[in-house]
């Protein structure tokens, strides 16, 4: 079977060939710009990989992989609008480079173009994939809303947080793998197991992201640590630190976070000291490992050969056990 | 066969039963608010009417009608964002009542919910309808982009204008009728004829809208005349007046439109005098009538009884020959 890198390279070639050429150029040129910015192409690659595990049909699977990538980019474009983010992957975001209107409308058309890609899938796969995809797309919108809600919500529980990252991140990874499996004629049981595998892996992946933001090697992660702390983002680590602070009548964390006189570096340092006091890192690592375990539980049940299961295990390492 | 009013009433009941009830409420409550604002429910009613003309299956057609209404409302929500419109149908727009983020995300989820509705359609209709719908959704996005382009485009031709209103308005009316016909087991030929009928009718309808904005009876139209002139909107009338002004080296129109000292009432009055000079109203009426004729040409070819054709003719009167 083909390696992840080989599948990714194949997808990137397919994506390049799919560059939008039609009019109106003020609609499609921004789409091309954003799609070319890059990223890991993780979701389409996972779709193709899942397909490889069963009956490989890479060429047929390409439109589905492209649909997933279009959808993912639609969410990024609109999320950037909502977050007022100036930069994405080192490039100017769409609403900054063009305008708010361009970002809204180009995002919209990408979402519809994703469905157009899906229409290239033949029966008996089409309707099944259409339903997985649509359910997922709704969930991703819901996840984004929960994330927006967190900004003004005073208490966010662990469960709230896991639910949010599941909807916002995991379900699309899971749907990508399930769709690949469906196209590979996997049994419903295997397709569902792969969904569960990726769903839990996605949660572990996101928690790892939160951990790396505090404790990652700056050179490997590629950004200064503590960004989430500076933005006062409700990550799993912050939620737990705030919960334990409240339980211990400890007002120090709130004080640091709201202290406008404190510079960012000192704010991060002070916050990490509180994290240390409450053993937040080890809490987050345990939580991450729990979801990785759920992921592995699904993996072992798959009716796949051991060498194929090993590929999935290496995927876990690749996505989660990274950047230390 | 059921009357347009009866079909509309049935759809409104169906829409009320479909009120979103789930979480997150900050996502779905704004959707409900916007859907409840109302409007004529023209597109879903046309879908049901087209279905009645062939083998009526109103209950089965309802999810498709709802999909069209969701899609239409998605476009209105995002168009209001792009136009920075404070009011829609006498109610506060979504981004004004809630926030830009709510308007973007609620629009997004409505677009996906429209596809979820479509998934309730059975084969052999589903894939065919999915394709008509998706093609149309892309065209509507393109139409909105052309409309945005007009704001900064110095020269807009008649053809540019017709193309824009066709994409922005007509194709969704046309797709609605075609989908209704498909669900009624109409032949491909009849479904296409009905599409052509509604497509041209939609253009006539939009030109009539432009005419009424200048010459409509204030009491019947429900708004002060001249709104398009005040906003310097590139309607068919304005495009022709600008073209003829240029041809005649007549700078008066440009002078009036750019005169900030002129109050709105005087601006409208002065512009209408120029329209009078160049016989703009009769030009626009001729253009409208041309598209109505195209519409009628398609109508006569439909393999329908005369009484059913009479229903379609009454639709033309209802939509275009109105509000004088």
């Amino acid at each position: 079977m083909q390696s992840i890198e080989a599948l990714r390279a194949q997808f990137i070639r397919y994506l390049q060939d799919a560059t939008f050429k039609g009019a109106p150029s003020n609609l499609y040129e921004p789409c091309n710009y954003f799609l070319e910015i890059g990223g890991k192409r993780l979701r389409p690659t996972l779709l193709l990989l899942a397909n490889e595990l069963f009956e490989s049909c890479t060429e047929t699977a390409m439109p589905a992989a492209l649909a997933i990538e279009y959808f993912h980019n639609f969410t990024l474009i609109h999320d950037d609008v909502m977050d007022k983010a100036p930069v994405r992957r080192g490039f100017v975001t769409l609403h900054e480079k063009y305008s708010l209107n361009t970002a809204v409308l180009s995002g919209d058309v990408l979402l519809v173009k994703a469905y157009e890609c899906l229409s290239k899938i033949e029966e008996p796969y089409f309707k099944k994939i259409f339903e997985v995809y649509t359910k997922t797309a709704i969930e991703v919108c819901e996840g984004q809303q929960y994330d927006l809600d967190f900004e003004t919500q005073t208490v966010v529980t662990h469960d709230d947080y896991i639910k949010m990252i599941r909807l916002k991140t995991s379900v699309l990874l899971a749907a990508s793998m399930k769709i690949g499996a469906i196209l590979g004629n996997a049994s419903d049981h295997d397709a569902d197991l792969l969904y569960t595998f990726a769903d839990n892996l996605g949660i572990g992946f996101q928690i790892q992201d939160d951990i790396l933001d505090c404790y990652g090697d700056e050179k490997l992660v590629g950004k200064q640590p503590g960004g989430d702390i500076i933005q006062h983002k409700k990550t799993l680590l912050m939620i737990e630190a705030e919960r334990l602070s409240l339980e211990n009548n400890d007002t120090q964390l709130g004080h640091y976070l709201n202290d406008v006189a404190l510079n960012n570096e000192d704010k991060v340092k002070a916050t990490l000291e509180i994290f240390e006091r409450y053993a937040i890192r080890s809490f987050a690592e345990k939580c991450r490992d729990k979801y990785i375990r759920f992921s592995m539980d699904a993996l072992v049940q798959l009716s796949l050969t051991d060498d194929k299961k090993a590929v999935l295990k290496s995927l876990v390492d690749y996505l989660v056990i990274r950047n230390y």
Side-chain angles (χ1 to χ4, degrees), chain A:
Chain A
M1 75 180 267
Q2 296 188 73
S3 70
I4 291 181
E5 278 317 315
L7 292 167
R8 187 205 311 279
Q10 259 183 280
F11 176 74
I12 288 170
R13 277 196 301 278
Y14 185 82
L15 179 67
Q16 280 161 351
D17 290 344
T19 303
F20 296 115
K21 290 173 189 80
S25 61
N26 288 338
L27 180 64
Y28 291 118
E29 200 275 310
C31 291
N32 287 333
Y33 164 76
F34 199 83
L35 286 164
E36 280 162 19
I37 284 179
K40 295 185 293 291
R41 315 298 183 190
L42 178 60
R43 291 150 194 82
T45 305
L46 287 182
L47 187 151
L48 298 175
L49 179 74
N51 178 251
E52 281 279 302
L53 296 172
F54 300 93
E55 291 170 28
S56 166
C57 59
T58 312
E59 276 312 303
T60 318
M62 279 296 174
L66 187 59
I68 293 285
E69 186 66 6
Y70 281 170
F71 178 79
H72 178 56
N73 279 273
F74 143 74
T75 65
L76 297 180
I77 292 169
H78 281 193
D79 284 5
D80 286 344
V81 166
M82 294 183 233
D83 297 343
K84 297 185 176 49
V87 175
R88 155 86 53 192
R89 301 169 188 152
F91 288 82
V92 182
T93 48
L94 217 58
H95 61 276
E96 281 286 327
K97 186 173 164 71
Y98 301 90
S99 65
L100 171 72
N101 289 359
T102 298
V104 171
L105 196 57
S106 293
D108 291 345
V109 84
L110 267 185
L111 174 54
V112 186
K113 283 278 175 185
Y115 275 105
E116 191 184 44
C117 290
L118 287 187
S119 75
K120 289 182 192 140
I121 300 169
E122 299 290 323
E123 291 298 359
Y125 308 106
F126 172 66
K127 186 99 192 246
K128 212 171 189 174
I129 289 171
F130 172 85
E131 281 169 8
V132 173
Y133 176 87
T134 298
K135 176 175 168 285
T136 305
I138 290 170
E139 288 174 335
V140 173
C141 291
E142 292 175 352
Q144 171 66 4
Q145 183 63 53
Y146 284 121
D147 198 10
L148 292 173
D149 286 350
F150 282 5
E151 284 170 24
T152 51
Q153 203 169 317
T154 39
V155 178
V156 176
T157 67
H158 296 165
D159 286 352
D160 291 338
Y161 179 77
I162 298 296
K163 182 179 178 181
M164 185 278 282
I165 59 170
R166 205 192 143 253
L167 292 173
K168 191 166 164 166
T169 304
S170 293
V171 294
L172 189 59
L173 299 169
S176 299
M177 295 203 88
K178 183 170 179 169
I179 290 170
I182 291 170
L183 286 167
N185 291 316
S187 68
D188 286 353
H189 185 60
D190 274 345
D192 287 339
L193 280 171
L194 209 54
Y195 184 95
T196 305
F197 166 79
D199 192 18
N200 287 291
L201 179 59
I203 296 172
F205 172 76
Q206 185 59 50
I207 296 173
Q208 177 68 353
D209 234 34
D210 292 354
I211 295 170
L212 288 176
D213 192 84
C214 292
Y215 303 106
D217 182 326
E218 190 175 332
K219 280 188 214 116
L220 292 169
V221 180
K223 55 183 179 186
Q224 253 195 309
D228 290 345
I229 292 170
I230 295 162
Q231 289 178 58
H232 198 172
K233 263 185 75 177
K234 290 200 174 77
T235 67
L236 187 65
L237 293 87
M238 186 60 80
I239 290 167
E240 179 65 359
E242 287 185 331
R243 192 187 69 79
L244 286 169
S245 294
L246 194 69
E247 204 174 275
N248 291 284
N249 291 317
D250 179 347
T251 58
Q252 215 174 11
L253 181 61
H255 175 76
Y256 287 143
L257 291 172
N258 295 315
D259 186 351
V260 286
L262 210 61
N263 69 45
N264 285 339
E265 207 174 319
D266 289 342
K267 186 177 278 187
V268 172
K269 197 163 164 272
T271 304
L272 289 180
E273 276 167 21
I274 297 171
F275 280 16
E276 182 79 24
R277 184 186 312 155
Y278 292 120
I280 297 298
R281 182 178 181 164
S282 118
F283 161 79
E285 285 171 350
K286 274 183 199 143
C287 191
R288 172 199 70 197
D289 293 343
K290 181 177 79 176
Y291 286 98
I292 299 303
R293 223 161 36 243
F294 291 158
S295 194
M296 290 299 184
D297 289 348
L299 190 154
V300 292
Q301 293 177 65
L302 279 161
S303 53
L304 289 174
T305 57
D306 284 348
D307 59 324
K308 286 187 170 171
K309 286 183 184 174
V311 174
L312 289 174
K313 271 184 203 143
S314 72
L315 186 68
V316 177
D317 296 343
Y318 170 71
L319 287 177
V320 181
I321 317 303
R322 61 194 160 114
N323 291 344
Y324 276 125

